[in-house]
């Protein structure tokens, strides 16, 4: 039962990615993923971005953001505190 709950978000992302969207919005896409699944998702997101898809990612996973983001907007209490092409705060 618990495995099916963890697989549902991955399945939803896979279904959306199959449609070749121009923009893909993801909210906490790595929640519940193990390292292998997270690496696969990162590779898929890079492929999509390289093919021209805009990927909008909301995440508390600073490691993921530092690895994949071209542009970072840091929010605190709903307000923009920093915006940059590649935030030096994350490195």
């Amino acid at each position: 039962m618990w495995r099916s709950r963890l697989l549902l978000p991955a399945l939803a992302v896979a279904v959306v990615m199959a449609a070749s969207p121009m923009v893909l919005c993801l909210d906490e896409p790595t929640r519940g993923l193990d390292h292998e699944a997270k690496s696969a998702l990162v590779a898929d997101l890079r492929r999509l971005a390289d093919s021209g898809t805009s990927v909008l990612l909301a995440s508390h996973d600073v490691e993921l953001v530092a690895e994949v983001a071209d542009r970072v907007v840091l929010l605190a209490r709903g307000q923009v505190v920093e915006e940059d092409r590649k935030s030096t705060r994350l490195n």
Side-chain angles (χ1 to χ4, degrees):
M1 174 75 172
W2 66 270
R3 281 188 163 179
S4 61
R5 276 196 315 249
L6 292 178
L7 292 177
L8 282 176
L11 176 61
V13 169
V15 168
V16 170
M17 287 171 43
S20 300
M22 292 178 66
V23 177
L24 178 63
C25 298
L26 300 169
D27 183 18
E28 299 291 350
T30 59
R31 182 180 48 232
L33 297 182
D34 61 19
H35 181 71
E36 185 178 330
K38 183 177 172 179
S39 295
L41 176 63
V42 167
D44 288 340
L45 294 177
R46 284 181 195 245
R47 265 194 303 281
L48 282 170
D50 290 345
S51 70
T53 299
S54 295
V55 179
L56 177 62
L57 178 69
S59 183
H60 288 91
D61 186 342
V62 178
E63 210 173 80
L64 171 72
V65 173
E67 186 176 352
V68 302
D70 292 327
R71 183 173 176 207
V72 175
V73 177
L74 184 61
L75 301 173
R77 299 177 192 240
Q79 301 295 317
V80 174
V81 253
E82 186 175 339
E83 184 175 357
D84 205 344
R85 294 302 274 160
K86 186 72 168 181
S87 178
T88 55
R89 265 187 189 208
L90 299 176
N91 294 325

